[in-house]
Amino acid sequence: MTTSNSTADQVFDPQHAAELREKRKQTISNSLAKRHRKEKSFRFFGFSAVIAGLFFVALLFGSILSKGLPAFWQSSMSLPVYFDPAIITTGAKPVQRAGESPAQFEERFIAWQTEMGMVDWDALIVNAMIAKDPALGSKRDDLASLYTSSEAYRLRDMVMKDPSLVGKKEDIKVLADANVDVWLAGNIDRSLPDEQQQLSPEVRQLADEMKASGVMENTFNTNIFVSPDSRSSPATSGLAGAFMGSLFMMLIVIIISIPIGVASAIYLEEFAPKNWITDVIEVNINNLAAVPSIVFGLLGAAIFIGWMHLPLSAPLVGGLVLSLMTLPTVIITTRASLKAVPPSIRQAALGLGASRVQTVFHHVLPLALPGILTGAIIGVAQALGETAPLLLIGMSAFVASVPTTPFDQSSALPVQIFLWQGNELRNFFEGRTAAAIIVLLAMMIGLNSIAIWLRKKFEVRW
């Protein structure tokens, strides 16, 4: 009994209880302080990660913009070109005579075209440069090195299209040669010895003098948007062919992958029975979404080109390959959007007597539409930037024309960037490559902006 009383006295000792409470408070306080420190550390590292990500994104965009924006301006000359009849001695454009057979007319027309090709068109440009600055007359031999070679052919095509130009004077913008543009833009080390320079000392000095006198000026480069790629005249190379090729491919992707992908997702999510067959299909769809894009290029080369014999380097084949690559993304995002619709919507519609099809298409699908549109556009934007599968179907070939149909040979914007990056005239095409990247990024940002706008427009809150 004495032992029990002493134990009770020990347990209920007020001083000991106060010490225990103080110890518990201290433990809790230390625990809270530790948790707060961890929370602050987590917030700090999270904030640091966001800042680091934004910094590297800004660094990437800053680097691209700093290199690409100057490429939208190019050295050129605005010259008063006189189409001198003394130089253009080919006569009028042939017209079919009465009683003349088509073969005879074709022979005369080809002979006229041959004579047009023999005209000294360079002399017209050189004369126009001297007319603008008479002091250049003593340097006539070096003037032809200042402008790109395709300008002479452009004058020929202008006269062939409109022979009435002969004897007239027209103000024409003439592009400087690529090496001259690089020299004037400061993209080459001027201290390099003459044997390492692309231009002779006389041409370099002449270019600087014409720049200082205002004959040579920096103007906005429209050729990058309206001209195809060119190897014979790099100064006129542009993105028109690659842009149209990408546009045709994206249209094919939208027409094929989005309807098939959305329909497949609706069936798998809303109508398909849950058995091992659908499980296998779902697993394979998820696996296809993770397959490297180059595998789809191999598949497209084997099926569409090797077996179906579709045209090589055509946007049709590229669009079909990219459609196969985009399908899993569209299916997965569409199914996720359908799953996000509350089950109560389906139960309420079925409870009011709606059929399964009516429930899906009248109630579930409109609510899932924002997510479906967002996923579809993001899939298309991803396909727009793909390069590897297009290389395997021949779209890396040089094409110097703008495609007019999906069956014509063409390049694509990512492939054009790849080709320009490896061009031997690196000082000139480095800026063009960055400019092409800016155009591609602008298209992708535009597609993503459309996705965000559509999501906000059709979003329904419940």
Side-chain angles (χ1 to χ4, degrees):
M1 193 68 181
T2 305
T3 304
S4 299
N5 291 335
S6 63
T7 302
D9 292 341
Q10 184 179 359
V11 172
F12 295 101
D13 184 8
Q15 184 177 358
H16 183 65
E19 292 176 356
L20 288 176
R21 285 195 300 271
E22 188 64 28
K23 189 175 181 180
R24 290 194 191 98
K25 288 181 180 179
Q26 187 64 33
T27 302
I28 293 172
S29 177
N30 292 338
S31 177
L32 287 173
K34 185 177 180 181
R35 288 163 57 188
H36 290 159
R37 286 196 301 270
K38 289 184 177 180
E39 183 179 357
K40 289 180 180 179
S41 299
F42 177 77
R43 289 183 177 180
F44 172 77
F45 286 117
F47 181 75
S48 300
V50 171
I51 295 299
L54 292 175
F55 170 75
F56 286 115
V57 169
L59 184 65
L60 172 65
F61 277 85
S63 175
I64 294 174
L65 291 174
S66 64
K67 293 180 180 179
L69 288 179
F72 289 105
W73 280 263
Q74 190 170 353
S75 298
S76 64
M77 299 172 282
S78 180
L79 302 177
V81 178
Y82 175 58
F83 294 90
D84 192 349
I87 297 177
I88 309 173
T89 58
T90 55
K93 185 176 182 179
V95 179
Q96 190 168 7
R97 301 166 183 168
E100 186 179 30
S101 67
Q104 291 173 334
F105 171 71
E106 183 71 17
E107 183 179 356
R108 286 198 306 115
F109 188 77
I110 292 175
W112 177 76
Q113 287 181 319
T114 303
E115 291 179 5
M116 292 290 287
M118 300 298 292
V119 172
D120 188 4
W121 300 102
D122 290 297
L124 300 181
I125 300 177
V126 172
N127 290 341
M129 296 168 68
I130 296 174
K132 188 162 186 177
D133 186 0
L136 298 175
S138 60
K139 303 175 182 178
R140 188 180 186 91
D141 294 338
D142 295 323
L143 292 178
S145 301
L146 292 174
Y147 58 89
T148 185
S149 59
S150 65
E151 298 294 6
Y153 302 114
R154 182 157 69 98
L155 295 184
R156 179 200 63 187
D157 295 339
M158 290 173 61
V159 174
M160 291 180 67
K161 184 178 180 181
D162 183 11
S164 65
L165 288 174
V166 178
K168 296 181 181 179
K169 183 180 291 186
E170 295 284 336
D171 287 331
I172 297 176
K173 177 182 175 182
V174 177
L175 287 177
D177 183 73
N179 290 313
V180 173
D181 182 71
V182 169
W183 172 261
L184 295 177
N187 294 331
I188 191 171
D189 187 2
R190 294 194 168 211
S191 63
L192 292 174
D194 292 341
E195 58 269 16
Q196 296 183 20
Q197 298 283 359
Q198 295 292 330
L199 301 173
S200 65
E202 294 78 14
V203 174
R204 298 199 304 270
Q205 181 181 358
L206 183 58
D208 289 332
E209 292 175 355
M210 295 180 66
K211 179 76 171 181
S213 64
V215 176
M216 192 86 69
E217 55 187 357
N218 223 22
T219 58
F220 186 74
N221 180 20
T222 56
N223 283 280
I224 200 169
F225 299 105
V226 300
S227 300
D229 194 15
S230 175
R231 288 181 179 174
S232 59
S233 178
T236 61
S237 57
L239 297 170
F243 180 84
M244 289 303 299
S246 292
L247 181 61
F248 281 132
M249 287 192 294
M250 292 308 102
L251 290 176
I252 294 172
V253 171
I254 291 172
I255 292 172
I256 294 178
S257 67
I258 293 180
I260 295 177
V262 172
S264 301
I266 292 174
Y267 175 76
L268 290 173
E269 188 63 31
E270 302 293 340
F271 299 102
K274 303 301 179 183
N275 52 36
W276 68 271
I277 297 178
T278 55
D279 290 341
V280 170
I281 293 174
E282 290 177 6
V283 169
N284 280 280
I285 290 173
N286 293 329
N287 288 336
L288 284 174
V291 169
S293 60
I294 196 169
V295 176
F296 290 98
L298 291 171
L299 178 65
I303 295 179
F304 301 127
I305 296 177
W307 182 55
M308 299 178 67
H309 302 290
L310 293 177
L312 191 69
S313 302
L316 174 64
V317 179
L320 292 173
V321 171
L322 296 178
S323 296
L324 293 177
M325 190 194 72
T326 308
L327 266 175
T329 302
V330 175
I331 294 174
I332 292 172
T333 55
T334 301
R335 294 192 66 185
S337 300
L338 294 171
K339 287 179 181 179
V341 177
S344 58
I345 301 293
R346 299 175 177 84
Q347 295 167 3
L350 294 171
L352 291 174
S355 66
R356 190 70 177 272
V357 174
Q358 289 174 327
T359 299
V360 172
F361 286 94
H362 294 176
H363 302 280
V364 177
L365 196 58
L367 296 176
L369 187 60
I372 294 174
L373 291 174
T374 302
I377 294 177
I378 290 176
V380 172
Q382 178 188 2
L384 176 63
E386 285 295 336
T387 307
L390 303 181
L391 295 177
L392 293 179
I393 60 172
M395 296 197 77
S396 61
F398 173 74
V399 180
S401 60
V402 180
T404 56
T405 68
F407 297 92
D408 297 336
Q409 288 188 332
S410 75
S411 183
L413 282 175
V415 178
Q416 191 66 68
I417 293 171
F418 172 77
L419 294 176
W420 279 358
Q421 179 61 29
N423 193 284
E424 59 183 7
L425 192 54
R426 185 172 181 83
N427 288 335
F428 180 76
F429 277 100
E430 185 176 13
R432 292 276 173 122
T433 302
I437 292 174
I438 292 174
V439 174
L440 180 61
L441 287 176
M443 293 180 65
M444 297 183 70
I445 292 173
L447 287 173
N448 283 281
S449 300
I450 293 173
I452 295 172
W453 178 78
L454 289 174
R455 187 176 187 87
K456 294 294 184 182
K457 181 177 177 64
F458 294 104
E459 187 174 15
V460 178
R461 299 183 181 275
W462 53 75

